[in-house]
Amino acid sequence: MIKRLMAATVCGSALMLAACGESPKEGVATTDSITDSTRNGTCTGTYPSYWQDPAFPDQWVGQKTSNVPPADWTGPVYQLSDDFPRSPVDDAASQQWRDSKFDALFEEGTSQEEKAKLAYEYGWLVMEYIQEGNVNQTGIEDWDVCNNKVRPWYNIPFQTYDAMSGREFTHGLTREAPVTFSTPEGDKQSTMWAVGFFNATAAYTLGTVWQADGTAKIPQDDVSFDEGAVIGKPLFNTLSPDVLPVMENLPSWNANISDPTFCSCTPANGKECTLIEESEQCPRSTTEWGDVTLLQFDFAVKDSRAKGTEWVFGTFVADGQRKADVDDPWQRIALLGVMWGNDTPPEGQLAYNHPVDVKKNGFKEEVIFWDTVDELNKYGGNNVMKQMGHLGCNYRLNGPADNANSSCMSCHGTASVPDKNLVTPPLLSQFSSLTKECVTPNAANPAIGKDRSGADATVNNGIGFAEIDSIYFANTPAAEPFNMTVETGSGPVNVMGDGVPAYDSGRSSWISLDYSLQLSISLTQWMQWQDHSDDPIEGRIHMKEIRRGYPAGVGHKAE
């Protein structure tokens, strides 16, 4: 059981540790401790830059050391960009997608052809904005954002308290979920490694949570990013372009990663690995595993013209063969799609077949570029749902690295402040004991069926397939709590159970983090570090459930 976080109950404002008037814990930098030698532009050294950062030894004491640059290392060493703006920033003058010409993208009467043109231009304007000053700079490593000469960019702190998935030291990549791709040579296991970047508008909101003294202020109310907030996230795959030819001619990085097929840990107690066991069984290497190659590049933009959500999500994918002649390797990508809503099924209907015939009729709240889908699938094997162009539920937007049962927005809409038990809504109902989403029911028995991956599904706890779809494919409004309640014949039912969430304030609804899953994950890791700091080192466990968003021991599959 995870102990209650005492700082949250003692301090009414929920400022952790130093923010509650206590001394910061040893190993956590404070403003006074930052020196000119640690500061590098927007990178201050206030927070750990990566798992096993030598400046914060108390967070990984006792672990096997494999994520610290060796003495003869001459490659890049990642620094976290964390000098967040302390007042709002509006970069509208540089954000061409905010032009009124794009209003029509979000209007119901716009034709599918016109939506596609606008979505394509919108997506590329955002991508160019993200890349400007971050790549192809003389004397600066790509995506070393400490000293961007065009505009500042920032990273989110505390994706570092995790031996299995925490940031690696070369580029700040964190481990994502395992991905198995179907290829002509059979199924190939792989892992995605990614890093996120926030523009100054988004970073101002991060700075309301992550304080200048190296502590976190846990939000007590719903968090809202400002108009024009932009997040970019390149995702790299551990397979080689020989296996996935679409990645030919794309940027590759030598990164300090663990087993590329997604290393798992066997616990001595048969239940859950300790942090020490994880570090021992899943060491990192810059030489044994080879390079990681760009496969996917996601973006998110706060845009109030998207009436249902106020967010626009987009996904680019590797297109290395068709764009081999493009000079800039970071431009050898193609837009897979743009979405600003989930095309929510009407009441009682299912997500797997709504809307009808989207390849012909299109969506109301998203655009898919089918030529890019076809290019991805050209390199696939016989398992359609494991091809790179599988997309999401009923072809909603999702990239090669993402789950075929969901969509970009259905996952990110769950972003919430962890409660006192470190519980958040599951990113996907499949990651829990809940009824699965995106299920095709059996015609003879509608209480069973198959999800889009082909896995068996059953109605659990009386929550039907259409009811769970109504939660996960709803358009969650920006900065409003993710709804986990369905209406049944006997009244409203909290599908996560009574008393969830369990906030010390007594609040009964989730505290929204406005579509930022990275913020949710980082807060969970910070809260667990606070909980562990008084525990015996050898007994510290990183709960896998906080990565999957569901309580310990409830419907969880070990990694």
Side-chain angles (χ1 to χ4, degrees), residues 166-316:
R167 292 193 188 280
E168 51 83 44
F169 77 77
T170 69
H171 295 90
L173 298 172
T174 61
R175 187 181 73 160
E176 303 267 318
V179 183
T180 299
F181 288 120
S182 177
T183 76
E185 289 73 38
D187 286 357
K188 302 294 184 181
Q189 293 182 317
S190 68
T191 304
M192 304 298 300
W193 290 78
V195 59
F197 306 97
F198 296 73
N199 75 342
T201 304
Y204 162 70
T205 301
L206 297 184
T208 65
V209 175
W210 296 104
Q211 306 297 293
D213 64 358
T215 61
K217 180 179 181 180
I218 309 300
Q220 300 297 290
D221 296 308
D222 300 320
V223 170
S224 179
F225 286 87
D226 293 338
E227 186 85 357
V230 179
I231 302 110
K233 183 181 179 183
L235 298 97
F236 296 78
N237 188 260
T238 55
L239 292 173
S240 74
D242 292 338
V243 178
L244 299 180
V246 74
M247 296 193 304
E248 288 182 5
N249 309 308
L250 268 293
S252 291
W253 282 346
N254 177 227
N256 185 224
I257 66 168
S258 55
D259 185 340
T261 63
F262 200 78
C263 182
S264 59
C265 179
T266 302
N269 63 10
K271 296 179 181 179
E272 194 83 46
C273 278
T274 65
L275 291 171
I276 291 176
E277 286 176 323
E278 289 181 348
S279 70
E280 290 172 343
Q281 296 185 36
C282 293
R284 307 289 182 91
S285 175
T286 59
T287 57
E288 184 176 356
W289 309 120
D291 295 338
V292 294
T293 304
L294 183 68
L295 175 60
Q296 184 171 322
F297 203 133
D298 296 339
F299 71 79
V301 175
K302 190 69 176 285
D303 192 329
S304 60
R305 293 172 296 185
K307 298 302 182 185
T309 64
E310 296 188 21
W311 281 94
V312 177
F313 280 68
T315 295
F316 286 80

Side-chain angles (χ1 to χ4, degrees), residues 428-434 460 545 548 550-558:
L428 189 77
S429 66
Q430 270 81 346
F431 294 154
S432 69
S433 62
L434 304 178
N460 297 334
E545 288 72 23
R548 292 290 181 250
Y550 211 66
V554 182
H556 172 67
K557 284 187 176 181

Side-chain angles (χ1 to χ4, degrees), residues 219-223 416-417 419 479-482 499-513:
Q220 300 297 290
D221 296 308
D222 300 320
V223 170
S416 304
V417 175
D419 71 6
E480 291 192 14
F482 187 71
V500 181
Y503 291 118
D504 281 318
S505 66
R507 174 169 164 150
S508 60
S509 61
W510 291 103
I511 300 173
S512 172
L513 289 176

Side-chain angles (χ1 to χ4, degrees), residues 104-105 107-120 338 340 343 355-370:
L105 178 61
E107 295 170 358
E108 191 169 332
T110 304
S111 70
Q112 291 294 321
E113 182 180 11
E114 182 64 16
K115 277 186 179 180
K117 290 179 180 177
L118 291 170
Y120 185 86
V338 174
W340 54 95
D343 283 83
V356 176
D357 197 359
V358 293
K359 288 188 177 181
K360 176 183 177 181
N361 301 323
F363 291 96
K364 289 183 178 180
E365 297 175 318
E366 58 192 289
V367 172
I368 301 297
F369 294 96
W370 298 105

